[in-house]
Amino acid sequence: MELDFLPIPLTWVLLAALSVLFYLYCMRPMNMLKKMGIPHPKPLPVIGNMHQTMKTGVWNPDAQVERINKFGAVYGSYMGRTVYITISDPEMLREVFVKQFHKFTNRAPDGQSLNIKPSCRMMTQLVDEDWKNVRSTLSPAFSGGKLKHMSEAMNTCADVLLKNLGKFAEKGESFDSKDLTSGFTTDVIARTAFGLEVDSQGNPEDPFVVYTRKPFAVAFRNPLFWLFFLFPKIMKPILEFFEYSFLDKDVSSFFYNVVDQVMGMRQTEDKAHRHVDFMQLMMNAHKEDDDDDNKEEGTQVQGTKQPLTRDDIVANGFLFFIAGYETTATTMGFLLYNLALHQEAQDKAREEINQVMEGRELVDYEAVNKMSYLEMCIHETLRMYSPASGVVRVVGDEVKMKWLTLKKGMNVMIPILGIHNDPKRWPEPKKFIPERFTKEEREKRDQYDWLPFGAGPRNCIGMRLALMELKVGVARVLRKYRIVPGPDTDIPLKIMKWKQFPTPENGIKLRVELL
């Protein structure tokens, strides 16, 4: 077919038009970093710099350090058509996390998350005032006053952990540190979150354990994930129309059933015998008063406390579980590994624990707050093996930081692994040196050189609970056992780069000796 007024076929006209549209859609946005004067690796059409990410993986400290050394403390990249500005400059981090936080409130643009319940009601997905209100409602659940009531449950779970370790001590066999710590943290979260007595350490096939350990459907092998990642404006309405969620439906249904059952039981309970756990606190948090020991400089959120819906409770109960058990178990596993390889540090931690516990039976809230050296060991482990490789903040309004001007809608990436392994910040970053976290050393260092929980008002809400859980579990272990490497212990560990959390290829094999 030809047009009367054109000497060429209409097909060629359409192909030319499509080529122009392709360029405008896929290539034009990839000139933005060059115009801004931000150094960046050369992008490819459509995928941007994703091919380089595919090569280096997700959890890769060396790759982050290499990019910072090559491009500087501020550099850019393209994930598909989306621009990311990676910032590791301490002054700029202070602007992002605290000073101009009102312009960096959100973790992801509204167009890059699906409005499908319950996932969209997770605090990690909420934006602006909605996030502030839910955060203000849930924050009291993690106050010191609430944590004091959870120590008994943590110690009960630690009893089972010690019993299991005793079996390996008797046989002289190696155990996988992550397997044991995962059972411990699962039991702790089940009790402190839902008031449920789940014996995942003894029965890994318990339905609660099976469903809560199922991963999100968001996997690199899922083509819909990649399509949504590359073309969010196109895929978002399609996926929402079909109510497609990257969270397995059977997992979602299971948690709705758990929440309904627990809420039903709680409504008939006598107030004097109510549980003190996250579930109960979510149900009545809007009626609670803030505890004054939960206030930390630069981390307060000024929102309106409000009742939570059923969807809110399911979403954040599930979030609390998956974010709590996996990250804490991972950190605890690596902590035991570090202590096994550094017996002097283990002895020093044990000596402190025994001194604090003299005359005490329970490793409670007051006790763990006196274990400063154990905390230093935890902080150093979190520096070396941070569960999060990085955090993202979205520019809510045009912002200026030093020489850099960012426009609304841009994404800022903070490379946690690169910062934690920067030899200028941390000399000999591959070495386990707890003394980096003495009071004197911390005062010398910029507070944004250590970011395993993020920073500012949108830091990890469960940080204090995670640290207490780690201290209780490890303190109980070190009082009774010595952790040592075995013949099958990998030194150093070989970390899988494509996992979301630091995951050793061959596990963390250790041995234990009765003191």
Side-chain angles (χ1 to χ4, degrees):
M1 175 181 177
E2 294 187 8
L3 296 179
D4 294 337
F5 55 87
L6 287 177
I8 55 176
L10 178 60
T11 302
W12 290 103
V13 175
L14 292 176
L15 285 174
L18 287 173
S19 298
V20 173
L21 290 175
F22 176 81
Y23 171 80
L24 292 175
Y25 183 80
C26 297
M27 295 300 296
R28 192 174 180 182
M30 295 187 184
N31 291 323
M32 185 178 296
L33 292 173
K34 185 177 181 180
K35 291 179 179 179
M36 295 175 67
I38 298 176
H40 61 283
K42 185 177 180 180
L44 295 178
V46 183
I47 65 173
N49 299 113
M50 287 179 61
H51 61 294
Q52 292 157 337
T53 302
M54 295 285 288
K55 182 179 179 181
T56 60
V58 177
W59 204 94
N60 190 335
D62 294 337
Q64 287 195 12
V65 172
E66 182 180 347
R67 284 194 289 267
I68 292 173
N69 290 337
K70 182 176 181 179
F71 297 106
V74 178
Y75 68 89
S77 60
Y78 297 94
M79 294 294 105
R81 299 172 66 249
T82 305
V83 178
Y84 283 84
I85 313 296
T86 299
I87 297 176
S88 57
D89 178 87
E91 292 182 35
M92 290 185 177
L93 293 179
R94 189 171 288 102
E95 297 285 335
V96 172
F97 285 124
V98 176
K99 287 189 175 181
Q100 299 197 61
F101 171 75
H102 61 286
K103 295 184 179 181
F104 295 95
T105 304
N106 300 329
R107 288 179 177 267
D110 183 56
Q112 291 187 2
S113 59
L114 296 175
N115 189 28
I116 304 294
K117 295 179 180 178
S119 301
C120 67
R121 297 305 302 166
M122 292 181 182
M123 264 200 304
T124 51
Q125 303 296 318
L126 299 179
V127 300
D128 301 325
E129 292 301 316
D130 197 10
W131 167 76
K132 290 181 182 179
N133 294 338
V134 173
R135 173 84 181 212
S136 296
T137 302
L138 295 181
S139 289
F142 299 94
S143 69
K146 301 300 188 298
L147 294 179
K148 291 177 182 178
H149 293 287
M150 298 179 182
S151 62
E152 185 173 352
M154 292 182 187
N155 277 268
T156 300
C157 297
D159 290 338
V160 182
L161 174 62
L162 297 182
K163 182 179 179 181
N164 289 335
L165 281 172
K167 296 176 182 178
F168 290 102
E170 290 177 5
K171 298 178 181 179
E173 296 178 348
S174 298
F175 63 93
D176 190 306
S177 179
K178 176 65 185 304
D179 285 348
L180 259 69
T181 57
S182 292
F184 169 69
T185 58
T186 298
D187 288 352
V188 170
I189 297 297
R191 294 197 182 202
T192 58
F194 300 97
L196 300 175
E197 294 189 10
V198 177
D199 182 20
S200 66
Q201 299 181 80
N203 180 22
E205 298 304 316
D206 184 285
F208 190 90
V209 177
V210 172
Y211 279 107
T212 52
R213 291 192 181 182
K214 267 194 171 185
F216 277 128
V218 178
F220 297 116
R221 291 174 293 179
N222 187 339
L224 289 178
F225 168 74
W226 289 110
L227 287 172
F228 178 60
F229 191 84
L230 288 169
F231 310 107
K233 291 184 179 179
I234 296 174
M235 293 301 299
K236 177 179 169 65
I238 296 175
L239 294 175
E240 290 181 347
F241 177 80
F242 289 102
E243 297 186 350
Y244 180 86
S245 174
F246 291 116
L247 174 64
D248 289 347
K249 288 187 176 180
D250 56 345
V251 175
S252 177
S253 298
F254 176 79
F255 264 88
Y256 271 110
N257 290 333
V258 169
V259 167
D260 287 341
Q261 292 177 21
V262 174
M263 289 180 70
M265 291 187 294
R266 299 290 172 88
Q267 289 172 357
T268 61
E269 283 183 346
D270 187 337
K271 290 185 178 181
H273 297 91
R274 279 186 178 175
H275 292 74
V276 180
D277 53 39
F278 186 61
M279 183 68 187
Q280 185 63 47
L281 296 168
M282 281 198 296
M283 293 172 62
N284 59 17
H286 61 284
K287 300 177 184 179
E288 299 284 345
D289 294 326
D290 287 322
D291 292 274
D292 55 11
D293 61 351
N294 194 43
K295 302 186 187 311
E296 298 179 22
E297 185 178 356
T299 63
Q300 294 307 295
V301 178
Q302 299 300 322
T304 303
K305 295 168 70 175
Q306 59 183 15
L308 299 181
T309 66
R310 176 170 172 260
D311 292 320
D312 291 334
I313 294 175
V314 170
N316 289 290
F318 180 68
L319 174 65
F320 176 57
F321 194 96
I322 61 172
Y325 103 81
E326 176 68 27
T327 56
T328 308
T330 297
T331 301
M332 190 171 175
F334 282 110
L335 175 59
L336 294 177
Y337 174 81
N338 279 335
L339 294 175
L341 266 58
H342 301 85
Q343 290 293 315
E344 291 183 4
Q346 184 178 158
D347 288 338
K348 191 171 181 179
R350 181 179 294 108
E351 181 180 356
E352 175 188 70
I353 292 166
N354 289 334
Q355 289 178 354
V356 171
M357 291 303 298
E358 188 174 350
R360 296 174 182 265
E361 294 184 3
L362 200 68
V363 182
D364 55 21
Y365 180 79
E366 288 77 12
V368 297
N369 281 333
K370 296 179 180 179
M371 298 176 184
S372 58
Y373 187 76
L374 177 58
E375 182 173 278
M376 289 160 56
C377 293
I378 293 172
H379 284 193
E380 175 68 342
T381 299
L382 284 166
R383 182 195 64 79
M384 297 176 68
Y385 303 102
S386 172
S389 62
V391 293
V392 175
R393 295 290 186 268
V394 180
V395 181
D397 198 3
E398 184 174 298
V399 59
K400 294 183 179 180
M401 301 185 295
K402 300 174 73 171
W403 57 270
L404 181 65
T405 299
L406 299 176
K407 295 181 180 180
K408 181 178 179 179
M410 288 184 172
N411 299 281
V412 172
M413 168 69 76
I414 291 86
I416 292 176
L417 299 183
I419 292 171
H420 284 189
N421 287 270
D422 180 1
K424 296 177 183 177
R425 291 173 162 98
W426 309 93
E428 299 182 291
K430 301 294 185 182
K431 290 188 176 182
F432 176 72
I433 308 174
E435 287 71 21
R436 300 183 201 267
F437 291 92
T438 62
K439 182 180 178 181
E440 295 74 19
E441 289 299 314
R442 293 174 72 172
E443 289 175 350
K444 296 177 186 176
R445 193 168 52 244
D446 192 285
Q447 69 180 103
Y448 299 104
D449 288 348
W450 186 78
L451 298 166
F453 298 101
R458 197 150 190 172
N459 67 343
C460 174
I461 192 173
M463 176 180 68
R464 301 176 73 188
L465 174 64
L467 291 174
M468 180 177 173
E469 186 179 349
L470 284 166
K471 290 179 182 178
V472 169
V474 175
R476 290 290 306 277
V477 169
L478 295 186
R479 291 198 75 197
K480 190 170 184 179
Y481 298 107
R482 176 173 296 279
I483 308 298
V484 297
D488 49 357
T489 302
D490 283 347
I491 304 174
L493 293 171
K494 301 174 183 178
I495 306 297
M496 302 171 67
K497 298 176 182 178
W498 272 108
K499 295 291 185 178
Q500 181 180 2
F501 303 112
T503 307
E505 289 183 6
N506 303 312
I508 305 176
K509 301 296 179 60
L510 300 172
R511 293 198 175 187
V512 61
E513 299 172 353
L514 185 65
L515 291 173

